[in-house]
Amino acid sequence: MNDAQAPIVPAVEVLAFDIFGTVVDWHGSIVRELGRRYPQVDGDAFALAWRAGYKPAMVRVMSGELGWTLIDDLHRMILDAILPQFGLERLGEEERRELNRVWHRLDPWPDAVAGLQRLKRKYLLCTLSNGNLGLLTRMAKRAGLPWDCVLSAEVFRAYKPDPATYLGVARVFDVPPDRVMLVAAHHDDLAAARACGLRTAYVVRPLEFGPAHPKDVAPQAGNDLHSRDLLHLADLLDC
């Protein structure tokens, strides 16, 4: 997969972006915030433990064990559960609430804003994240992320990889699924989108889980594009 593949996606109108890990650096942002607030805590371990609770919490919602629950609330449940592991069980309600809001303050990857600005010249840009609307909107405001539209699992009341999320983007913009391209740094997300008829672009984020935990970012068959970052994706899409 390389630059020569760009002509295969001429009909795409909408680029829908996964957010956590793809557009913003959740791990590095949490580590930096922990370093400022609680320097005695291992920020790397804390960030990984918090993120590790993410999928199990969503499974509880998807299975019906929990009713529909916003990611902000799931993050808070996970936070409350892990605080004792890191000697922070004495944090009061206001401190817990403010720490939980770190997910609203995640920093973009260095290429993200400039890459999105270039892509926006040619495509409609929207989020497609399990993050809730308030979280995504505050994040965009702070980081200068130039979305045309903020879409969330909250809109569809379903978490990715439920087909309702991917097909929901096509429905919102009144286009066939193959005119939407999901942009993500996670192959499972892209595979689920592809099963719904969307186009897919992989973004390499080898340090998503921090420099001590590099991940495999090798190309996988099926994706239309494989990009080094969002600036490279803009190159591939002639923006």
Side-chain angles (χ1 to χ4, degrees):
M1 282 171 276
N2 52 45
D3 296 21
Q5 290 183 293
I8 68 174
V9 288
V12 169
E13 296 180 33
V14 180
L15 300 181
F17 289 79
D18 172 68
I19 302 301
F20 301 120
T22 301
V23 177
V24 297
D25 175 12
W26 61 266
H27 180 276
S29 300
I30 292 172
V31 169
R32 288 187 287 274
E33 180 122 357
L34 263 291
R36 289 191 295 269
R37 291 176 177 273
Y38 311 107
Q40 76 278 16
V41 172
D42 182 341
D44 172 65
F46 191 97
L48 294 176
W50 205 351
R51 183 67 171 179
Y54 177 72
K55 286 190 177 179
M58 286 194 301
V59 167
R60 293 180 65 193
V61 175
M62 291 186 284
S63 70
E65 179 186 344
L66 285 178
W68 176 253
T69 309
L70 298 182
I71 283 292
D72 267 343
D73 297 324
L74 294 181
H75 280 155
R76 176 58 192 270
M77 291 166 53
I78 302 161
L79 176 65
D80 287 341
I82 67 170
L83 286 176
Q85 300 173 37
F86 296 92
L88 295 176
E89 64 273 14
R90 293 177 183 246
L91 291 189
E93 173 58 29
E94 187 55 37
E95 284 182 287
R96 291 176 185 232
R97 176 179 167 81
E98 184 61 18
L99 182 55
N100 199 50
R101 285 284 187 99
V102 68
W103 294 94
H104 297 205
R105 301 187 291 270
L106 301 181
D107 297 321
W109 292 108
D111 57 276
V113 173
L116 292 172
Q117 288 170 339
R118 284 177 55 189
L119 291 162
K120 186 170 179 171
R121 297 173 194 165
K122 187 174 178 180
Y123 298 95
L124 293 169
L125 305 188
C126 72
T127 62
L128 182 59
S129 172
N130 286 333
N132 46 284
L133 291 169
L135 180 160
L136 295 170
T137 303
R138 289 191 177 97
M139 178 196 294
K141 184 76 169 177
R142 176 183 177 275
L145 302 172
W147 307 120
D148 293 304
C149 177
V150 175
L151 293 179
S152 157
E154 182 181 353
V155 174
F156 310 114
R157 294 184 72 81
Y159 282 126
K160 294 187 294 179
D162 191 306
T165 58
Y166 308 108
L167 295 175
V169 177
R171 188 175 69 253
V172 164
F173 290 103
D174 192 25
V175 295
D178 65 359
R179 290 184 178 256
V180 179
M181 172 175 277
L182 181 69
V183 182
H186 311 112
H187 285 299
D188 55 349
D189 196 2
L190 295 168
R194 200 159 48 247
C196 292
L198 277 65
R199 298 285 198 168
T200 56
Y202 182 68
V203 182
V204 169
R205 299 297 189 197
L207 302 183
E208 177 183 355
F209 295 91
H213 315 280
K215 70 178 188 180
D216 180 7
V217 293
Q220 289 193 11
N223 291 323
D224 295 297
L225 299 172
H226 183 92
S227 59
R228 293 185 297 273
D229 57 27
L230 296 188
L231 292 169
H232 184 220
L233 182 64
D235 290 339
L236 294 176
L237 291 172
D238 196 26
C239 295

